[in-house]
Amino acid sequence: MKQIIKPDGENQVIENDITIFLAGTIDDGNSINWQTETVDKIKCNNCTIFNPRNDNWNPKASIDDVIKQIDWEQDYLLRSDIILFNFLSKSLSPITLLELGQVLSHSGIEIFVCCPISYFRFTNVRHMCRRSNIPFFERFDDMIESLNERLEDL
């Protein structure tokens, strides 16, 4: 059964063999909730999906709460088998850029990146993915289709 682990969730015990982290635009909860759509579209019954979107997030959170969120994201990002990066065109997504740069050199983590041509650093993201042989997609559904094909092989 597909399992979802979130920073504000109670169950933090990984129950499945394959782990997927949903990295991408959140904008303090102000962006569209693409993570929920992604969970629904992932065709994997033995996956644990790490969703960093905190439904109880307060944009005026204390420093301690921000650090707790950062630590959760870092802990689960770096223990994932697969990371999906989704850049939304109407956002700067600085944390997403930071996390992509962080994991580009990590061997053993499969990475899929979606970045629309309208994203302000499209060329940078596409070029870094090409240099690192990372699957790169301009359309979200194409990335999900590729992910699902890969999951069939696991």
Side-chain angles (χ1 to χ4, degrees), residues 65-127:
D65 286 342
V66 172
I67 289 172
K68 181 179 177 184
Q69 178 75 22
I70 292 168
D71 286 343
W72 186 96
E73 291 183 25
Q74 286 294 296
D75 290 345
Y76 286 97
L77 181 77
L78 297 175
R79 73 165 56 162
S80 298
D81 300 309
I82 299 169
I83 303 172
L84 298 184
F85 283 92
N86 188 28
F87 291 86
L88 299 181
S89 61
K90 294 181 180 178
S91 174
L92 298 178
S93 300
I95 303 305
T96 307
L97 282 171
L98 178 72
E99 290 172 342
L100 177 61
Q102 176 185 14
V103 301
L104 281 176
S105 63
H106 280 275
S107 61
I109 300 175
E110 290 188 58
I111 301 170
F112 294 76
V113 176
C114 178
C115 183
I117 197 166
S118 56
Y119 180 66
F120 89 114
R121 288 288 183 238
F122 170 83
T123 301
N124 300 76
V125 173
R126 182 182 62 182
H127 185 67

Side-chain angles (χ1 to χ4, degrees), residues 2 122 134 146:
K2 196 184 299 181
F122 170 83
I134 305 283
S146 181

Side-chain angles (χ1 to χ4, degrees), residues 5 7 148:
I5 293 181
N148 284 328

